[in-house]
Structures are given as C-alpha cells and as structure tokens.
Amino acid sequence: MTTDILEPSRAKRLKASTHETHDRLDTSIMAAAPFATIEGYGRFVTVQYLFHRDIGALYDDVALQAILPGLMERRRLPLIVADLADLGLSLPQDDTPPAFAQTAAIDIPEALGWLYVAEGSNMGAALLRKEAAKIGLSDEHGARHLAPTPEGPAAHWRTFTAVLDAAELTAEQEARAVAGANAAFARVQALVDARIG
Ligand code: HEM
C-alpha cells in the first residue's frame, strides 16, 4: 500500500503492514474465549510463554540493548513463568527451538520486528487484564504479565516506538523488520491454533 510507504513513523508502517495478521490473531483468540475460564486462561498463558521464550535471547543482546535503553526491564518471560506457577501449571514443552538463540548472531532489523509485536501486545494487554480480573486474576496472581508498567501502557509504548522510529535502517533492512513482525504474528497464530483454538 502506498500509504504504508508514505507513513513517516516506522512503528505505524509496521502496524499497517501487519494489520491483517493482527486482526486475524485477535479474532482467533477472542473466538476461543480463553478468558471465560481459568483453564482457558491457562492455555493463553501457555501461548504467551512459548512466544516470549522465542524472543528471550533478544533481551540479553548487547547490540539491541544499545539501541533500546531499558530493554532488559521490558522482558515479560519471568512474569509469565510466575503466572503459570500461580495457576499450578508446569512450563510448557515445545519441540521447536526458540526463534532466537543466545549463541547465534541476531539480525537486528528482524529482531526489531519481533520486539515490535511483543511490545505492541502490551496495548492489547490492558484490555485482556480487565477480562482476567473477571475470573479472579490480578497483577499479583495469575495475570502478572498483563499488568501495566508504572508509567502506563501508552507512555511505555511511546518510549519504545520513539526509539524504533529513530533507528536508521536501509530499505532492505526495513523489509527485514516487516518480515520479522509478520513472522512473530505467524508464530503466535500457529501457537493459538495449536493450543487455544
Ligand atoms: C498474544 C497475542 C497478541 C499479540 C502478539 C498482539 C500484538 C499487538 C501489537 C503489535 C499491537 C500494537 C499495534 C500498533 O499500534 O502498532 C497491538 C495493539 C492492540 N491489540 Fe493486540 N495482540 C495480541 C492480542 C490481542 C487481543 C486478544 C486483543 C483483543 C481483542 C488485542 C487488542 C489490541 C488492541 C485494542 C490494541 C491497541 C490498538 C491501538 O491502540 O491502535 N490484542 N497488539
């Protein structure tokens, strides 16, 4: 779409380029109504665990930390692990190795695309947190990973997108960022299809 290319903000271009995959994901998750029961919610947290396990290595990457100050504090995997423990669930097993490994060289533009999806999902989390509260879960029990940071989801997101927008990428690198974001959505969709749908 021409409008995607003209959009000055990279975050907004990523949003436009992944709009369809995100819509499909929201629809599949909400259609399965995982927030109606604790069991369903447990399956949702399982999906979150496997997605955040995929990107765990990104938060430890020195090059990414230099681009994104405070990156380590954005990691939600430990909160997801604590949520699973609250729910009495063991860590999910998956034969697929994580998408990013600590030992392998990380492609920065591709990683930015995956991080866009993980960080952006905090915006949806504000809504999901309210659903989780209806089944008795909270920021201290079972829904820790959906809790907003002290500055609030909107400000937290703006800090991230400002850095994302400022990163200097060539057109070819930008295409890899878009591919990374779409791969991240595809991974979450596959997990939802296999474990929630
Ligand atoms: C783990 C699953 C999910 C992922 C990975 C995800 C990803 C994202 C991303 C990347 C954004 C940022 C879009 C942008 O402004 O650039 C976003 C925003 C949002 N998401 Fe999702 N999402 C997920 C689940 C959901 C679900 C189930 C809902 C509920 C229907 C939802 C509703 C929203 C809403 C309302 C926004 C804010 C849109 C806006 O402010 O423009 N998300 N999500």
Side-chain angles (χ1 to χ4, degrees):
M1 263 197 305
T2 331
T3 47
D4 301 0
I5 299 159
L6 292 178
E7 174 56 61
S9 153
R10 175 170 297 119
K12 295 223 167 90
R13 288 198 296 275
L14 281 168
K15 180 178 183 166
S17 313
T18 56
H19 174 70
E20 281 173 26
T21 34
H22 181 225
D23 270 5
R24 194 175 147 231
L25 179 64
D26 290 354
T27 309
S28 328
I29 294 179
M30 296 325 262
F35 288 77
T37 62
I38 294 286
E39 291 72 26
Y41 176 78
R43 289 194 289 276
F44 171 77
V45 182
T46 296
V47 166
Q48 293 282 59
Y49 172 81
L50 292 169
F51 172 49
H52 285 264
R53 163 187 167 271
D54 267 337
I55 55 174
L58 301 185
Y59 297 86
D60 295 319
D61 187 76
V62 179
L64 279 169
Q65 285 169 356
I67 298 172
L68 294 159
L71 180 62
M72 277 170 108
E73 290 76 49
R74 289 181 176 268
R75 164 185 253 147
R76 280 186 290 155
L77 191 60
L79 295 171
I80 296 169
V81 169
D83 284 339
L84 287 168
D86 290 341
L87 299 166
L89 298 173
S90 49
L91 293 189
Q93 298 302 316
D94 190 300
D95 294 339
T96 322
F100 294 92
Q102 240 137 12
T103 46
I106 284 169
D107 182 64
I108 299 292
E110 185 193 4
L112 290 175
W114 279 78
L115 286 173
Y116 158 80
V117 176
E119 283 303 311
S121 71
N122 282 319
M123 304 296 284
L127 209 134
L128 303 181
R129 177 173 173 248
K130 293 197 182 114
E131 294 300 308
K134 292 181 194 162
I135 50 170
L137 303 171
S138 69
D139 299 352
E140 287 81 38
H141 182 83
R144 298 166 199 264
H145 81 282
L146 298 176
T149 50
E151 79 265 34
H156 196 61
W157 177 233
R158 273 196 306 275
T159 315
F160 176 79
T161 55
V163 175
L164 184 65
D165 288 349
E168 285 191 24
L169 301 184
T170 63
E172 191 269 330
Q173 288 171 327
E174 169 115 358
R176 294 215 301 276
V178 172
N182 276 310
F185 271 118
R187 169 69 171 147
V188 181
Q189 182 72 53
L191 288 167
V192 166
D193 291 346
R195 293 174 180 264
I196 298 186

